[in-house]
Amino acid sequence: MTTTQSSISSTSPTPTVPSGSGRVANIVLDSFTEAGRHVRIIPRNIEVLIFATIQPVMFVLLFSFVFGGSIQVPGYPDYDQYLMPGIFAQTVVFGSVFTSVGLAEDLSKGLIDRLRSLPIVQSSVLIGRTLSDLVRNIITFIAMLAVAFVLGFRFEGSLTSAAAATALLLLFSYGLSWVQALIGLSVGSVEAANSAGFLWMFPMTFVSSAFIDTRNLQYAWLRTVADVNPFTQVTNAARALYNGTDPGDAVMWSLVWSIGLVVVFAAIATRKFKTSSE
Amino acid sequence: MVVPAVVTEGLKKSYGETKALDGLDLEVAQGSVFGLLGPNGAGKTTAVKVMTTLLKPTAGRAVIDGIDVREDPRAVRTRIGLTGQYAAVEERLTGRENLELIGRYFHYSKADQKARAAQLLEMFDLVDAGDRVAKTYSGGMRRRLDIAMSLVARPSVLFLDEPTTGLDPRSRLGMWDFIARLGDEGTTVLLTTQYLEEADRLAEKIAVIDIGRKIAEGTADELKDQIGGDNVRVSIMRYENIERAKEAIRTLCVGAVVQDPESPMTLTAPIRAGGGVVPMIIRALDDAGVDVMDVEVRRPTLDDVFLVLTGHGTQMPAEEESRT
């Protein structure tokens, strides 16, 4: 090896204490550093991003072309205007699986151990991860919106309500990211995180108002399940806002659910993360 | 008085009935290279994890630079560097970005992040690869980047958990050079290894651990003395020369020269470890006119150490294998 014989520790080894004013400043700084690590590799993992975008586009095309003729929804002469918000909602929710998979991957590679040996605020590892997955979701969302526009989807309401609809969807997926964080920390492998993260996504998004009017469901109990499903509330709120109709109390319920998920699951996941040293 | 870099007292870590650490006592002097030697499942990684605040001990104390890991884990984290068993690098970032990232976690300024990264890339012979994503690195390069990442904040104690496991022999030698140089620089290094040779090469002091407990401690030479050091086996061509051969090598060996009962043309004898004795033996036999067929040196292995110290080899009984 022809390394210059420069000093490895440069000066005598002196500990470097992170500067920073207070705990809140540290949480913010460390979380952004951690989120930055993940966001930076999104464009380098282009195939993942492409497939994450192709899948919702495929769903848009399948539902629109295959079921478009046979699914009638009262109040929506154009099924696409009904369907698209449902697909949007499903896609951002599926995007939360990146949290469990990414966390499990970092755990298995020893990256989490490295982070835990650094003098950073421990919870910033989870905050950074969920924030970066939100960024990824926004990118997927923009791509999907473009395809929807090409197919004829339009914002029938104001731009503000369309923005509010989008924010509601992303907030809900952020709440689910924290559920996924707990899953990622609890399962032992990347494969398990993928399965456990995805499995409940299907009943949650299909037993809902995403693709059909829940009143058309053939069993009363199934109708009840679909109606109380938070995913239905979020989809209904976003759909009404995109189409310029009255969302009723769906917006409120969406906010309650989303904020509730963030608060409850952030607490549980952070606790789980911290007690992994016991 | 200077506080030791690392002290553990009666360190215990149990998972239910399983005792991963069973009262481990260690003391590592400032600026030294300390080797924790033991087979798989001896508790090496658990010990490192407790000392680096990743695991809480069930009982006992671990103190780094005078700070108890349980009382102030954050202060401990500012003083340590950890290179775990798996090269914990972000594969999709370049070597340089990985190093800058650690600087960012330590709240360095952008300029300091860059300067320190550049410095470490040079020290670890990664300048040419610095702007390639770590995914493209060889095993040895990854390991080097991993260690460099642990050194970004100039830790006073560096923990290396099996730094050469899984590396090919050539990369292992290169890695030894880097670790030896760290020791020369005055960084305290605590490394774990399964290889006696590695501990011998790098560590000034070695603690041998087994089933979560220290079973021997000393310099490599002291340990080898305990287990008898190297052995030489000399096979000669003609039986009538056997006495002459014995006579010729007697003074070069540190113990009795014995004729192998199962192979009468072979002599075995203990020799001083690593001191170029073998060429002298060959020369002496040649001068005495003895035709040599084969000379073989048998170095004590970790198995020998364990056999002598514990009465069992490194193969653990099945129920103990799950411990790490």
Side-chain angles (χ1 to χ4, degrees), chain B:
Chain B
M1 216 190 86
V2 184
V3 289
V6 179
V7 177
T8 70
E9 283 165 5
L11 206 57
K12 289 188 183 182
K13 180 70 189 175
S14 314
Y15 297 97
E17 290 292 293
T18 321
K19 291 175 185 158
L21 290 179
D22 193 14
L24 184 67
D25 299 312
L26 296 175
E27 187 171 321
V28 180
Q30 291 284 356
S32 67
V33 178
F34 189 92
L36 206 53
L37 178 68
N40 270 332
K44 300 187 299 289
T45 297
T46 307
V48 167
K49 285 192 166 177
V50 171
M51 291 184 269
T52 56
T53 76
L54 300 190
L55 281 178
K56 288 200 178 90
T58 313
R61 301 198 317 144
V63 182
I64 311 294
D65 264 0
I67 307 163
D68 192 306
V69 294
R70 264 206 282 207
E71 276 162 23
D72 197 351
R74 200 181 151 94
V76 168
R77 290 179 196 130
T78 63
R79 285 169 167 77
I80 58 165
L82 167 65
T83 301
Q85 245 179 70
Y86 308 99
V89 304
E90 176 60 80
E91 291 187 324
R92 283 158 295 205
L93 293 182
T94 67
R96 191 184 304 279
E97 287 168 339
N98 267 295
L99 292 166
E100 289 172 0
L101 179 72
I102 303 294
R104 208 167 311 137
Y105 284 122
F106 277 90
H107 305 177
Y108 285 5
S109 71
K110 268 243 153 38
D112 285 350
Q113 289 165 28
K114 281 189 192 310
R116 186 63 179 151
Q119 209 177 9
L120 286 164
L121 285 174
E122 183 159 319
M123 287 164 199
F124 283 86
D125 209 9
L126 290 168
V127 175
D128 294 338
D131 295 312
R132 263 169 40 207
V133 290
K135 210 176 189 167
T136 64
Y137 285 17
S138 69
M141 289 162 78
R142 260 175 207 235
R143 225 36 103 84
R144 260 150 46 208
L145 176 59
D146 197 12
I147 296 180
M149 285 168 77
S150 311
L151 289 172
V152 168
R154 300 183 174 85
S156 66
V157 188
L158 176 66
F159 292 87
L160 299 175
D161 195 8
E162 303 202 3
T164 66
T165 297
L167 292 186
D168 60 75
R170 206 171 65 104
S171 309
R172 173 168 297 164
L173 287 176
M175 189 56 76
W176 284 355
D177 277 351
F178 284 107
I179 296 170
R181 200 148 7 109
L182 285 178
D184 295 343
E185 297 287 342
T187 308
T188 307
V189 179
L190 188 151
L191 70 97
T192 75
T193 180
Q194 307 182 41
Y195 309 108
L196 184 60
E197 197 192 352
E198 182 163 291
D200 188 359
R201 260 291 289 270
L202 299 171
E204 294 145 48
K205 212 169 173 196
I206 299 168
V208 183
I209 68 167
D210 183 35
I211 333 180
R213 214 178 256 211
K214 184 169 72 184
I215 54 170
E217 188 170 8
T219 64
D221 284 342
E222 285 166 359
L223 287 175
K224 282 188 179 166
D225 285 350
Q226 278 190 52
I227 57 167
D230 289 359
N231 266 285
V232 70
R233 277 172 71 84
V234 177
S235 303
I236 60 168
M237 303 284 270
R238 279 193 298 274
Y239 183 69
E240 61 264 31
N241 286 339
I242 196 82
E243 287 306 319
R244 223 182 322 156
K246 250 191 213 175
E247 195 55 44
I249 65 172
R250 174 159 298 151
T251 54
L252 297 169
C253 300
V254 293
V257 181
V258 181
Q259 208 170 340
D260 190 331
E262 284 171 24
S263 148
M265 273 155 62
T266 299
L267 299 170
T268 65
I271 56 168
R272 199 156 42 82
V277 186
V278 175
M280 288 158 75
I281 288 177
I282 296 172
R283 217 173 302 133
L285 289 168
D286 200 38
D287 289 348
V290 177
D291 292 326
V292 179
M293 192 162 75
D294 192 23
V295 177
E296 190 189 336
V297 177
R298 211 176 153 266
R299 299 228 144 81
T301 62
L302 186 57
D303 251 314
D304 297 326
V305 176
F306 270 77
L307 210 55
V308 173
L309 294 174
T310 66
H312 65 81
T314 54
Q315 293 306 309
M316 293 275 143
E319 78 269 16
E320 285 166 6
E321 215 142 64
S322 58
R323 286 176 202 168
T324 36

Side-chain angles (χ1 to χ4, degrees), chain A residues 2-278:
Chain A
T2 53
T3 315
T4 349
Q5 287 293 330
S6 46
S7 159
I8 293 226
S9 10
S10 182
T11 53
S12 66
T14 36
T16 320
V17 185
S19 56
S21 43
R23 202 180 141 75
V24 176
N26 283 338
I27 291 183
V28 173
L29 205 55
D30 294 344
S31 299
F32 272 104
T33 301
E34 179 64 357
R37 166 167 81 96
H38 304 304
V39 170
R40 223 156 160 193
I41 61 178
I42 292 175
R44 300 190 193 179
N45 223 351
I46 202 79
E47 63 268 43
V48 171
L49 199 61
I50 288 173
F51 284 110
T53 315
I54 286 179
Q55 187 229 303
V57 170
M58 183 186 73
F59 270 48
V60 166
L61 297 175
L62 276 177
F63 277 90
S64 170
F65 287 109
V66 179
F67 298 130
S70 46
I71 298 184
Q72 304 285 316
V73 184
Y76 288 88
D78 180 1
Y79 178 58
D80 277 359
Q81 284 299 118
Y82 184 88
L83 169 73
M84 294 302 178
I87 302 269
F88 296 165
Q90 189 188 44
T91 303
V92 294
V93 160
F94 277 10
S96 71
V97 183
F98 277 106
T99 307
S100 57
V101 173
L103 209 48
E105 207 179 320
D106 279 357
L107 272 171
S108 69
K109 283 186 182 164
L111 275 162
I112 298 290
D113 275 356
R114 154 147 276 148
L115 293 171
R116 291 180 57 224
S117 76
L118 298 174
I120 58 174
V121 181
Q122 302 278 291
S123 55
S124 67
V125 174
L126 299 180
I127 299 173
R129 166 61 68 184
T130 52
L131 283 180
S132 69
D133 289 325
L134 181 62
V135 172
R136 187 201 303 270
N137 242 338
I138 292 171
I139 298 170
T140 313
F141 197 93
I142 292 167
M144 191 171 47
L145 204 58
V147 176
F149 265 82
V150 170
L151 290 176
F153 174 76
R154 293 293 176 266
F155 296 149
E156 302 290 354
S158 69
L159 219 61
T160 320
S161 32
T166 308
L168 278 182
L169 293 178
L170 292 170
L171 180 65
F172 185 64
S173 85
Y174 185 71
L176 293 180
S177 258
W178 281 101
V179 181
Q180 299 285 11
L182 182 62
I183 292 174
L185 290 173
S186 307
V187 298
S189 69
V190 178
E191 292 76 16
N194 195 32
S195 312
F198 252 121
L199 198 63
W200 53 286
M201 294 279 132
F202 291 99
M204 185 178 79
T205 56
F206 281 99
V207 185
S208 78
S209 67
F211 308 104
I212 44 110
D213 187 332
T214 55
R215 282 170 294 186
N216 292 341
L217 286 168
Q218 52 180 328
Y219 305 107
W221 62 267
L222 200 61
R223 227 171 294 147
T224 314
V225 171
D227 285 334
V228 299
N229 184 349
F231 183 77
T232 296
Q233 299 294 336
V234 176
T235 307
N236 287 349
R239 180 181 288 130
L241 290 168
Y242 283 128
N243 282 295
T245 58
D246 177 21
D249 55 9
V251 171
M252 184 202 65
W253 282 117
S254 299
L255 287 172
V256 168
W257 269 106
S258 303
I259 294 166
L261 284 173
V262 174
V263 171
V264 172
F265 282 88
I268 301 175
T270 306
R271 199 185 145 70
K272 172 99 188 157
F273 187 77
K274 285 186 177 160
T275 53
S276 61
S277 64
E278 271 152 24

